[in-house]
Amino acid sequence: NGDAANPACSGIEGVLEAYHRSLRSVQLYGPTNFAPVVNHVARSAAAVLDGSQYFVLLIITDGVISDMAQTKEAIVNAAKLPMSIIIVGVGQAEFDGK
């Protein structure tokens, strides 16, 4: 949502608001490294294992993942946590997962 101290979005409305706000302020460029953000959200999810919170990480990208091995490892490590990861590729890049 643009607030590093409190990055949560409330519901779909909050996600859409954050997305529209980011369109006006985010400059997309490479490399496209996902492992750091997956690990960051995983640390937050690991801190709340009592079932009171569930985390959804939505990544919208226009580039192929540059750190594929590290991203796969981060996703596997996060699989046991109360979180989902959604990656949406936009644009002309090839997103075939190679």
Side-chain angles (χ1 to χ4, degrees):
N1 69 7
D3 182 354
N6 183 18
C9 296
S10 181
I12 297 299
E13 296 82 15
V15 171
L16 290 173
E17 180 182 324
Y19 174 71
H20 287 109
R21 191 176 328 114
S22 70
L23 286 176
R24 295 187 296 271
S25 62
V26 172
Q27 177 66 36
L28 300 176
Y29 61 93
T32 306
N33 295 321
F34 290 173
V37 73
V38 171
N39 289 327
H40 178 78
V41 174
R43 283 190 296 276
S44 296
V48 187
L49 297 177
D50 64 0
S52 66
Q53 293 185 29
Y54 190 84
F55 297 77
V56 178
L57 172 59
L58 172 62
I59 300 174
I60 302 171
T61 180
D62 70 341
V64 176
I65 300 171
S66 301
D67 63 341
M68 184 62 81
Q70 295 89 342
T71 297
K72 287 179 181 178
E73 180 180 351
I75 291 170
V76 168
N77 291 338
K80 64 187 175 296
L81 299 172
M83 66 180 284
S84 293
I85 302 167
I86 303 166
I87 301 173
V88 178
V90 297
Q92 302 301 316
E94 290 188 29
F95 299 101
D96 58 6
K98 292 181 182 174

